[in-house]
Amino acid sequence: MRERLVLVSDIHLSLGAAGAQYGPRFVDEFDGDEVLPAFLNWLRADDRRPSHLVLLGDTLDFLRVPVPRALYARNDAEAVQQLEQIAAAHPKVFEALSAVMNDGTTIDFVVGNHDVELARPAVQRKLRTLLGAPEHSAPDAVAVRFHLWGYYVPGLLYAEHGNHYHDVNSFRRPLTPFHAKRTERPLATRVHSVLGQARLKQSGGPPLHQVFADLLPVDRVVPRAAMDDYYARVLPQYAAAIGLPVLTVRQLHELGRTSTLATALRIAKVRLGHDLSFREAAPGVATSVHRALAAAGCAVPFCVFGHSHAACHLRLPDVDGEYLNTGTWSSDYRPATGGVQHVPDSQRRTWIELTRRGPDNPQAKLLHWAGGPVENPSHRSNSIEGAVEAT
């Protein structure tokens, strides 16, 4: 039987044209309301239909949807309202996703740093409803599934959004990013929120005390007992659910751990040109992931991240595996030279296709949508040394 997975990330759906009225922080970076549905409808052909459509994080951009009198959603009701606004701004995209689901393809949402609200069960239920999933569908239903951290297919794939290994965008407890009804917000999110609030166009922004409350790092107030429970109970439960040994999951968790001081030093080094950005460091992280899985007897040929907005396909040295990045469908593209640029479509609207027939000969392709699929060799490198040129 032929297995086919399609992976897409960093679509960044938010408020559409309405977002600009609130200021630069809320401008919708997604401009593919015709293009993305065309791609999704193309996927539905019998000979192309994937078994799984994996949306590998930052599919929705809750951070670009304003919340009255707060920087972020403070409860289920506010997060659900944000989701409803996103769906109303992009009806064609939601209709196309619903059609893909109704054809029998499982849609897997992996949580990213811009759509951590998907970790809320109430938001998951609402999204299932918006897509027309059966009302009786359980959290692990086939039609629409949610993954708070990793996505693992034995013998084929290990995938994450990638922010767990990016210190300024990581969550201390990615499987439970909440404490006392508050959601953890990574450092980069909090910094960008402050800058965006300063440029807010409309009145009625959050009061100062709410801004301070929203910016207080949740990880600073999480009791030690909660962290002990996370290691003793939550991680083992997750390991059993995903199908990896507990020790391996712990290794992956620790791979993304850092300290405030280490983060500050790394940022300073990057600014001075003496250290790697996440985009440049990601292949090395993927190498560590490959090694951890192989050591546990869970080796896979492909490790996939999103997050960097720079598509690539690399063969990794010293391990029997490859690293791929899904790129982005937003207008925020990160070229190899660094920074943010708005560039022609040829540098974005990318996706990954993984296929295998039986246990042997798995294949991976990185493709670009230009009214149809285009395999772009400029995204491919034969080794990690060519990563900068390939991204």
Side-chain angles (χ1 to χ4, degrees):
M1 181 177 179
R2 185 170 180 263
E3 185 176 11
R4 183 165 180 259
L5 283 72
V6 169
L7 293 91
V8 180
S9 79
D10 296 274
I11 299 174
H12 287 275
L13 298 167
S14 54
L15 281 183
Q21 67 182 299
Y22 299 102
R25 178 191 162 205
F26 300 102
V27 171
D28 194 330
E29 296 178 335
F30 176 76
D31 58 0
D33 282 305
E34 302 295 333
V35 178
L36 182 57
F39 163 69
L40 294 171
N41 288 329
W42 173 83
L43 284 179
R44 296 172 59 201
D46 289 341
D47 60 335
R48 292 189 291 267
R49 186 180 303 154
S51 54
H52 292 261
L53 172 61
V54 183
L55 300 176
L56 198 61
D58 287 1
T59 304
L60 311 170
D61 200 331
F62 287 84
L63 298 178
R64 290 183 177 271
V65 180
V67 176
R69 301 183 64 78
L71 293 181
Y72 321 108
R74 294 160 292 184
N75 51 54
D76 287 350
E78 290 179 342
V80 166
Q81 185 176 42
Q82 286 181 300
L83 174 59
E84 291 173 333
Q85 291 178 274
I86 294 172
H90 302 285
K92 292 183 180 180
V93 174
F94 277 74
E95 289 169 6
L97 286 170
S98 180
V100 168
M101 178 198 69
N102 288 330
D103 282 347
T105 295
T106 297
I107 300 180
D108 291 283
F109 285 90
V110 177
V111 173
N113 51 304
H114 283 247
D115 53 12
V116 67
E117 278 72 17
L118 290 179
R120 294 179 178 271
V123 175
Q124 295 176 10
R125 290 192 296 270
K126 186 62 180 182
L127 183 50
R128 285 194 176 96
T129 299
L130 290 169
L131 293 177
E135 294 182 4
H136 57 78
S137 59
D140 60 348
V142 172
V144 179
R145 304 190 303 179
F146 296 90
H147 309 266
L148 303 190
W149 181 10
Y151 183 87
Y152 171 62
V153 180
L156 181 65
L157 166 71
Y158 181 82
E160 296 185 26
H161 181 60
N163 63 294
H164 180 65
Y165 309 108
H166 188 193
D167 47 17
V168 296
N169 284 299
S170 65
F171 297 92
R172 190 179 184 191
R173 300 185 303 168
L175 300 172
T176 55
F178 307 105
H179 177 68
K181 298 184 179 181
R182 292 186 56 214
T183 306
E184 181 183 354
R185 304 292 174 180
L187 175 62
T189 295
R190 287 180 275 125
V191 170
H192 292 159
S193 295
V194 170
L195 296 176
Q197 190 62 34
R199 297 194 294 267
L200 188 66
K201 287 185 178 181
Q202 297 195 352
S203 60
L208 194 58
H209 70 85
Q210 184 63 52
V211 172
F212 283 128
D214 287 340
L215 294 178
L216 178 67
V218 170
D219 61 330
R220 300 295 185 193
V221 297
V222 174
R224 177 61 183 269
M227 287 304 304
D228 290 342
D229 177 69
Y230 187 80
Y231 283 105
R233 182 182 61 84
V234 178
L235 283 183
Q237 287 180 350
Y238 168 75
I242 199 173
L244 289 172
V246 176
L247 179 59
T248 302
V249 169
R250 286 179 178 269
Q251 288 177 316
L252 296 177
H253 187 268
E254 292 303 311
L255 190 60
R257 289 289 303 276
T258 187
S259 66
T260 302
L261 178 59
T263 298
L265 290 174
R266 185 195 65 80
I267 293 172
K269 289 180 180 179
V270 169
R271 296 298 183 190
L272 294 172
H274 300 318
D275 204 350
L276 301 177
S277 66
F278 170 76
R279 175 189 49 76
E280 296 164 326
V285 175
T287 298
S288 297
V289 170
H290 272 293
R291 286 174 174 159
L293 295 176
C298 302
V300 294
F302 307 116
C303 178
V304 179
F305 296 153
H307 186 57
S308 69
H309 290 206
C312 69
H313 185 178
L314 311 174
R315 191 188 74 242
L316 299 172
D318 304 324
V319 296
D320 185 17
E322 300 176 17
Y323 165 64
L324 299 95
N325 191 288
T326 42
T328 185
W329 283 67
S330 80
S331 58
D332 177 5
Y333 169 76
R334 310 296 172 89
T337 53
V340 177
Q341 296 182 10
H342 295 271
V343 299
D345 292 344
S346 61
Q347 302 297 329
R348 58 191 180 112
R349 295 175 178 165
T350 48
W351 77 97
I352 292 167
E353 290 188 7
L354 300 180
T355 57
R356 68 176 171 183
R357 191 181 299 275
D360 300 322
N361 197 30
Q363 302 289 324
K365 287 184 179 181
L366 176 61
L367 299 162
H368 156 67
W369 181 257
V374 177
E375 191 166 4
N376 190 343
S378 68
H379 291 298
R380 180 71 187 255
S381 175
N382 290 327
S383 68
I384 195 172
E385 288 80 5
V388 171
E389 289 77 19
T391 53

